[in-house]
Amino acid sequence: MRALVTGGCGFIGSHVVRGLLADGWEVTNLDKLTYAANPANLAEAEGHPRYRFVQGDICDLALVRELMDGADLVLNFAAETHVDRSLLEPGVFVRTDVEGVVTLLEAARARPGTALVHMSTDEVFGSIPAPGEAAEDAPFAPSSPYAASKAAAELMVRAYAETYGMAVTVLRCCNVYGPNQHVEKFIPLFTMRALAGEPMPLYGDGMQEREWLYAGDFVEALRVVLRELPAEPGVHAVHIGSGERVRNRETAELICELLERPRELITPVADRPGHDRRYALDSSRLRARGWRPRVPFREGLAATVAWYRDHGAAWAQTASGEFARYFERQYGERLARR
Ligand code: TYD
């Protein structure tokens, strides 16, 4: 079986590519290699006889058409994903996260034999007040340009499914963490800052809740989904949530504890505008299909923090100049004003 994975050099995409190769798939990875990609994430796949890397953009229809030829499955993990960057530069999110998905839909509609799985996010629902959980049919209420771009992509998926009778599976997942994630994101950033003994910039009161899923558990969830991909026309949404909802301050404190660093490094800074307080998914449908997350948050966090202790410096070097400029833009004033 042949799969086309987009964004396979990114965080979640790289875990997926490795999982598919282990399961015997032939994998083509189409990746633009934006700032968020790290080819080192897939170093062990290079040279694998069933793996092929193509550098390119999911907005390039001719290229996407060519690569989709002969593919049984298309998995879209190509996206701009960082909420803070979407506040600084929303245009690129519309381009990749919306136009890119339309390009994939255009190419896929001519190929009824190709199954399409699109990665979305719990952020399409906006903040979910406790003790609520968003079910698959909950209404969209995105708060950030990132979340809105993912919601817009889902609406385009729906339109294509209605108009052309396509069957598309949409994965809405909670926050994923683990090795290979870009150092701009909360857990890697706080780990790297703690390791360096530098202030860890906690937005607002730090009482926001996120639902955390270990990357390996995401791959297991995908395996369950791929076992039975629905062929009936329509959008088939699947919620993938760990149920482990943790306040940001607590996560930051756990990182300090695991690295034996003082909690005083945790530094409250000006909040992210439009910051969602809480995400929570109802993933009972997927659990009824046999999936369970296996790695508890504390255990996954310990493994992740250890990975960044060993590999973080190399990661930071890959990201170096661009990341330093972004960090200054995002945190310079916040940290100076605290
Ligand atoms: P993030 O990793 O950006 O994921 P998302 O916003 O998509 O959930 O952030 C996770 C949480 O951590 C979120 O509530 C924002 C918070 N956060 C901080 O407090 N400080 C930071 O520097 C970052 C990057 C995030």
Side-chain angles (χ1 to χ4, degrees):
M1 297 281 272
R2 280 201 210 162
L4 170 62
V5 178
T6 67
C9 294
F11 166 45
I12 301 178
S14 64
H15 287 277
V16 167
V17 167
R18 279 205 301 251
L20 292 174
L21 287 172
D23 294 349
W25 288 81
E26 204 171 296
V27 178
T28 298
N29 169 19
L30 170 61
D31 198 298
K32 191 176 173 186
L33 297 184
T34 68
Y35 82 90
N38 188 348
N41 287 347
L42 279 176
E44 63 196 73
E46 287 302 333
H48 191 292
R50 283 185 279 104
Y51 175 71
R52 174 168 68 130
F53 170 69
V54 177
Q55 183 174 1
D57 191 338
I58 57 166
C59 293
D60 181 343
L61 182 59
L63 176 63
V64 167
R65 282 205 164 116
E66 183 191 318
L67 297 179
M68 251 189 222
D69 233 4
D72 303 288
L73 173 68
V74 177
L75 290 158
N76 182 36
F77 290 95
E80 295 288 339
T81 62
H82 195 40
V83 172
D84 292 321
R85 292 199 192 236
S86 81
L87 300 170
L88 298 172
E89 280 172 51
V92 65
F93 285 70
V94 176
R95 171 106 178 122
T96 298
D97 298 4
V98 187
E99 288 178 40
V101 172
V102 173
T103 308
L104 295 175
L105 288 163
E106 267 302 299
R109 81 182 170 95
R111 290 177 171 71
T114 307
L116 183 56
V117 177
H118 167 66
M119 182 70 174
S120 190
T121 167
D122 56 5
E123 300 196 24
V124 295
F125 301 119
S127 201
I128 305 288
E133 293 185 331
E136 278 82 353
D137 59 355
F140 290 176
S143 306
S144 69
Y146 160 67
S149 74
K150 296 300 282 188
E154 282 210 43
L155 292 178
M156 292 306 286
V157 168
R158 173 181 284 267
Y160 270 71
E162 286 293 323
T163 308
Y164 303 110
M166 295 167 68
V168 185
T169 295
V170 170
L171 310 175
R172 298 198 196 107
C173 192
C174 64
N175 283 62
V176 183
Y177 71 101
N180 296 357
Q181 190 170 28
H182 193 283
V183 288
E184 70 191 355
K185 295 288 184 355
F186 179 51
I187 288 177
L189 179 73
F190 273 42
T191 301
M192 295 301 288
R193 301 286 292 175
L195 282 166
E198 305 262 25
M200 302 152 81
L202 187 69
Y203 291 151
D205 62 7
M207 299 302 275
Q208 308 83 2
E209 268 178 63
R210 291 294 182 269
E211 183 171 341
W212 292 104
L213 181 72
Y214 195 58
D217 279 328
F218 174 80
V219 175
E220 287 304 317
L222 180 64
R223 286 193 169 110
V224 171
V225 170
L226 293 181
R227 275 209 297 264
E228 267 175 86
L229 279 181
E232 310 88 71
V235 181
H236 303 279
V238 180
H239 281 190
I240 307 172
S242 65
E244 285 207 82
R245 296 159 195 149
V246 189
R247 292 193 198 283
N248 290 341
R249 173 165 280 282
E250 196 187 325
T251 301
E253 288 173 356
L254 273 171
I255 292 171
C256 291
E257 191 188 303
L258 287 163
L259 291 171
E260 297 176 353
R261 293 293 194 275
R263 284 182 176 186
E264 287 66 41
L265 288 176
I266 301 169
T267 306
V269 296
D271 207 351
R272 166 191 284 174
H275 195 170
D276 285 329
R277 293 297 284 181
R278 179 174 179 269
Y279 296 136
L281 286 176
D282 171 357
S283 51
S284 51
R285 285 206 205 161
L286 185 61
R287 284 161 196 255
R289 290 168 69 180
W291 175 76
R292 295 276 180 288
R294 291 196 190 137
V295 183
F297 184 57
R298 213 194 149 86
E299 204 179 289
L301 191 64
T304 304
V305 162
W307 189 87
Y308 281 95
R309 197 185 44 221
D310 299 342
H311 300 88
W315 225 120
Q317 205 170 5
T318 307
S320 63
E322 197 280 339
F323 185 62
R325 283 189 298 280
Y326 164 75
F327 188 89
E328 180 51 34
R329 200 173 163 198
Q330 181 63 21
Y331 298 101
E333 212 172 297
R334 278 186 165 87
L335 285 169
R337 277 223 204 127
R338 70 197 143 105

